[in-house]
Amino acid sequence: MAKVNISLDAELVVEVMVLAGIGSPQDAVEAIVRDYIARGHRTEARTELKDQNLRDLDVKPQEPQG
């Protein structure tokens, strides 16, 4: 797996470590990134399901009105 080196504000990393309860800066930031990605996938899944339900409603024939 390819690795990327970046610079981050030390206070930001320490806060992430404290909030995540992780002792290693590398592990703490990696956990936050993984959580962010997982949250995005969950959001996509919910949105896709909602969109599919809306499409299903649009396909059903309309009741005659008036």
Side-chain angles (χ1 to χ4, degrees):
M1 173 187 333
K3 299 283 183 177
V4 175
N5 292 319
I6 58 171
S7 297
L8 295 172
D9 183 304
E11 290 180 22
L12 178 67
V13 174
V14 169
E15 188 157 351
V16 167
M17 290 170 62
V18 170
L19 290 172
I22 299 174
S24 160
Q26 173 74 31
D27 292 345
V29 173
E30 187 172 313
I32 296 301
V33 171
R34 289 183 186 279
D35 180 63
Y36 181 81
I37 291 169
R39 187 175 303 177
H41 288 292
R42 289 190 302 267
T43 300
E44 286 174 0
R46 283 194 306 263
T47 303
E48 184 177 319
L49 181 60
K50 182 179 178 182
D51 288 346
Q52 184 60 44
N53 288 339
L54 290 174
R55 276 189 228 109
D56 290 345
L57 288 175
D58 288 342
V59 171
K60 292 180 182 175
Q62 298 270 335
E63 294 281 331
Q65 296 180 5

